[in-house]
Amino acid sequence: MTHAVPSRRHTIAADLRTQISTGNLKAGKRLPSETPLAAHYKVSTPTLRNALALLQAERLIEKVHGKGNFIRSPLHRITYAGGGRTPFDPTLQVSIRTTNLRARGHLRALLRISSNSPLTEFLCITHEGKSPHSLARIYVPRDLAPAVQLGSSGWPQRAEPIAAKIRETVTARLPTQEEATTLRISSTLAVLAITSVATDATSRVVEAALLVLPGDRANAVFTTHRTTEERETEG
């Protein structure tokens, strides 16, 4: 029986992976620069970069532009609860940027409003230490935006929720280039994309949220509450 011989990039990645798992390379430590590291393994720089790319895709190391490759801390997983709109976790920090804009394209359709209707966008990025963890874009009609404030969790929310219904669509896909750059993830790492649309009692869309959660650090949990009629029908 013929056994495939591991490529040099896989051999290098396996060696570094072992050093990380055994603690020889500790979280936060910067790896040697690519040229001396390639010389250590007696390979070309492109081959070494291919090996590092494997570990970057596994989120074991992180490449920081202009500084080098660093060993990542163990990934902290968060749970998104259906209907909760945002992945709350007190161990994560949240940064928020607010922008006023006009509804166009998919936003017009998502919020079921006319083109150029005024909106407020809340761009929320969670951080674990210095590393971005997840992102969300929350869109609110401008006339409702003043009632939105930062809650105890750090996320935008209303003191008195007005949503009567929340509809969510969950998709697994590859990240856009902007998402990969913002979250510092590989463009080959699947993300959990959640589109949440909240409507009030009059069926007006009062909020739309677009969440992006990297697949290596997120769980989505949805709980269904059965009605009395459904239980009686089965009985």
Side-chain angles (χ1 to χ4, degrees), residues 8 12 27 34 44 49 62 71 94 112 123-124 171 179 182 188 214 225 227 230:
R8 289 295 293 151
I12 295 169
E34 294 176 351
S44 65
R49 287 175 179 165
E62 176 183 21
I71 308 300
V94 184
R112 300 203 297 266
L123 173 61
C124 309
T171 304
E179 291 167 350
T182 300
T188 62
H225 298 280
T227 64
E230 288 175 325

Side-chain angles (χ1 to χ4, degrees), residues 121-137:
E121 176 195 67
F122 299 91
L123 173 61
C124 309
I125 302 177
T126 60
H127 296 266
E128 184 175 5
K130 294 183 179 180
S131 299
H133 204 281
S134 66
L135 69 87
R137 295 180 185 274

Side-chain angles (χ1 to χ4, degrees), residues 9-233:
R9 66 171 182 153
H10 283 95
T11 299
I12 295 169
D15 180 59
L16 291 172
R17 192 182 295 112
T18 298
Q19 293 189 58
I20 294 172
S21 64
T22 58
N24 289 337
L25 291 175
K26 299 185 181 300
K29 179 180 176 60
R30 184 173 68 86
L31 289 176
S33 58
E34 294 176 351
T35 300
L37 197 57
H40 170 75
Y41 285 109
K42 299 179 181 179
V43 296
S44 65
T45 301
T47 298
L48 176 75
R49 287 175 179 165
N50 287 336
L52 296 179
L54 294 175
L55 300 179
Q56 289 164 6
E58 296 172 25
R59 301 293 289 169
L60 292 177
I61 67 174
E62 176 183 21
K63 186 170 186 176
V64 180
H65 183 69
K67 295 184 178 180
N69 293 287
F70 293 80
I71 308 300
R72 290 184 57 85
S73 299
L75 289 175
H76 177 86
R77 298 189 73 86
I78 58 176
T79 297
Y80 175 82
R85 187 190 66 181
T86 45
F88 299 114
D89 191 316
T91 65
L92 300 177
Q93 298 81 45
V94 184
S95 62
I96 300 177
R97 186 182 71 197
T98 304
T99 305
N100 290 326
L101 68 162
R102 298 282 177 171
R104 294 186 177 85
H106 75 288
L107 291 180
R108 180 191 61 78
L110 194 63
L111 282 93
R112 300 203 297 266
I113 53 181
S114 58
S115 295
N116 294 318
S117 294
L119 299 174
T120 296
E121 176 195 67
F122 299 91
L123 173 61
C124 309
I125 302 177
T126 60
H127 296 266
E128 184 175 5
K130 294 183 179 180
S131 299
H133 204 281
S134 66
L135 69 87
R137 295 180 185 274
I138 302 172
Y139 298 94
V140 179
R142 189 81 53 79
D143 62 312
L144 298 177
V148 178
Q149 299 178 352
L150 296 184
S152 58
S153 64
W155 289 89
Q157 62 185 46
R158 293 183 177 83
E160 298 182 1
I162 61 175
K165 178 181 178 181
I166 297 177
R167 178 183 175 85
E168 295 175 302
T169 303
V170 183
T171 304
R173 60 170 173 78
L174 294 178
T176 64
Q177 186 57 56
E178 179 184 9
E179 291 167 350
T181 300
T182 300
L183 294 171
R184 298 182 194 168
I185 60 176
S186 167
S187 58
T188 62
L189 175 65
V191 297
L192 200 62
I194 301 174
T195 300
S196 176
V197 178
T199 54
D200 64 12
T202 66
S203 296
R204 179 192 180 187
V205 176
V206 294
E207 179 181 285
L210 308 177
L211 285 71
V212 179
L213 310 174
D216 62 353
R217 73 199 72 162
N219 299 314
V221 178
F222 298 88
T223 302
T224 301
H225 298 280
R226 301 171 64 197
T227 64
T228 302
E229 292 77 5
E230 288 175 325
R231 291 194 294 270
E232 290 177 347
T233 298

